[in-house]
Amino acid sequence: MKIKVLGCSGAELPGFGLPSFLLDDSILIDAGTTTAAIGEGAQKKIGHIIITHSHFDHIRGIPTLADNMFLRDPGHSITLVGTKAVLQVIRKNLLNNIVWPDFTRKPNLKKPALKLKVIKTGKPFRILDYRITAERTDHTVPAAGYIIENSKGKKLLYTGDTGPTDRIWKRADMRSGKTAIDGAIIEVTFPNRMKAAAERTGHLTPALLLSELKKLRNFPKKLYITHIKPQYITTVTKELQKLKIKNLKILEKDRTYVI
Ligand SMILES: [Zn+2]
Ligand SMILES: [Zn+2]
C-alpha cells in the first residue's frame, strides 16, 4: 500500500496542510488538502473519497475537487464514502447550492460529479480490491476511523480525529487477527500540558496516545502520527520522542509511505 500524504496537520499554515491521504493513487482518505497539493492528472485518478467526519479541516477539498472534475470532464464521477450522519452534514451545509453547488446532482442526476456511498460502522464494504471496515471514534461530532485491507492482506488503520476511545482498537484487533496492523495512522493534536483541552475537543496528546496504544493486543508494525497543530509541533515532537516507541514516525506532507 502506498500512502501519499497531501496534508497531515491539525491547522493550516505555510508548509502545513490539513489532513488528506492518497492511497495507491486512487482513494483519497479525508480531503483537507487536495486540489492545491496534486495536479489535474492525479486528481482525475481519484475514484473515491473516504471521509472520517464533517469537520472543515477534513472536507475542504471535496467541493474544489468536484468543481475541477466537472470543468474538465463532466461525465466523471467520484464516490464520496462515509456514514449517513457525516454525508448528511456535508450535503446540507457544504453542497447546498448556497456555499457551493450541489455536485451530487450536477451536471445531472444520472452522472453527477459526486456520488454518495453510505456505509455502516462495523460492516465491511468493498472499494476496488480493498476490504474496508469503519468504526466509531470519540470526537465532538459523529466520526469514524477506517481499517483498510488490500488483496495481499496488508492492513492500514486510520483513526481520523479521536479522543480516548475503545471501539476502533477492538475492531483493529478483530480485523488483524493474530498478526498486527501493518500501518496505523493515529492522531495526536495537542501537547501533554493541554490534556484537558484534548479531552474536551476529542483529540489526543502524546501521553493519551500511549494509554490508547495499550488497548491494542498487537502493536502496529508501523505507527504514523498525524494532525499535530503546527503551533505545538516542537513540544509534541519532543514528547513523542520521549515515549521511545519503536517504528513511530511523524508524517510529513508531500512524502509517500509504503506499508
Ligand atoms: Zn475534527
Ligand atoms: Zn481535524
Side-chain angles (χ1 to χ4, degrees), residues 19 53 55 57-58 139 161 203 227:
H53 67 297
H55 277 157
D57 58 328
H58 298 252
H139 197 39
D161 289 4
H203 288 297
H227 210 274

Side-chain angles (χ1 to χ4, degrees), residues 56-93:
F56 182 71
D57 58 328
H58 298 252
I59 65 169
R60 189 183 60 178
I62 298 169
T64 52
L65 181 62
D67 190 38
N68 288 356
M69 292 304 104
F70 175 70
L71 288 171
R72 183 61 86 175
D73 182 5
H76 183 83
S77 282
I78 298 174
T79 303
L80 200 55
V81 181
T83 62
K84 196 174 171 187
V86 170
L87 295 184
Q88 268 178 350
V89 171
I90 293 170
R91 273 209 68 192
K92 195 174 162 213
N93 299 288

Side-chain angles (χ1 to χ4, degrees), residues 26-249:
S26 56
I27 298 177
L28 192 67
I29 308 169
D30 274 344
T33 307
T34 306
T35 42
I38 48 171
E40 275 183 311
Q43 290 175 28
K44 221 183 147 180
K45 289 186 188 161
I46 298 171
H48 295 80
I49 311 175
I50 299 174
I51 295 291
T52 57
H53 67 297
S54 59
H55 277 157
F56 182 71
D57 58 328
H58 298 252
I59 65 169
R60 189 183 60 178
I62 298 169
T64 52
L65 181 62
D67 190 38
N68 288 356
M69 292 304 104
F70 175 70
L71 288 171
R72 183 61 86 175
D73 182 5
H76 183 83
S77 282
I78 298 174
T79 303
L80 200 55
V81 181
T83 62
K84 196 174 171 187
V86 170
L87 295 184
Q88 268 178 350
V89 171
I90 293 170
R91 273 209 68 192
K92 195 174 162 213
N93 299 288
L94 186 62
L95 305 167
N96 57 5
N97 288 322
I98 300 169
V99 175
W100 205 250
D102 181 1
F103 280 114
T104 66
R105 289 163 184 271
K106 237 173 112 85
N108 55 62
L109 275 177
K110 222 174 164 190
K111 276 203 157 180
L114 286 174
K115 288 181 182 167
L116 302 180
K117 179 179 170 72
V118 176
I119 52 96
K120 286 196 168 127
T121 54
K123 225 177 150 202
F125 58 95
R126 281 201 168 273
I127 290 178
L128 309 172
D129 268 354
Y130 303 89
R131 181 192 162 105
I132 306 177
T133 317
E135 190 50 84
R136 258 184 67 186
T137 58
D138 283 281
H139 197 39
T140 52
V141 292
Y146 291 89
I147 295 141
I148 302 173
E149 305 166 55
N150 73 4
S151 55
K152 290 177 185 150
K154 290 277 181 194
K155 296 177 186 78
L156 171 72
L157 162 70
Y158 172 51
T159 60
D161 289 4
T162 189
T165 189
D166 289 311
R167 290 183 195 82
I168 190 91
W169 313 127
K170 280 193 191 127
R171 183 68 59 189
D173 275 338
M174 213 184 283
R175 295 292 341 141
S176 58
K178 283 181 185 150
T179 60
I181 290 282
D182 295 279
I185 302 177
I186 302 181
E187 81 118 281
V188 171
T189 301
F190 292 112
N192 286 333
R193 69 170 190 276
M194 294 180 73
K195 181 178 183 233
E199 284 176 337
R200 195 175 57 243
T201 57
H203 288 297
L204 298 176
T205 64
L208 288 172
L209 168 74
L210 189 63
S211 53
E212 290 304 296
L213 288 169
K214 286 177 183 160
K215 297 176 183 173
L216 276 170
R217 186 177 56 216
N218 292 310
F219 205 85
K221 289 178 193 160
K222 287 179 181 169
L223 180 59
Y224 301 109
I225 304 301
T226 182
H227 210 274
I228 301 172
K229 296 263 186 207
Q231 293 85 348
Y232 309 120
I233 186 99
T234 313
T235 314
V236 173
T237 302
K238 274 186 202 151
E239 289 174 351
L240 284 169
Q241 283 164 349
K242 269 191 197 158
L243 297 177
K244 297 209 183 314
I245 295 174
K246 223 173 68 181
N247 300 329
L248 180 147
K249 279 199 179 103

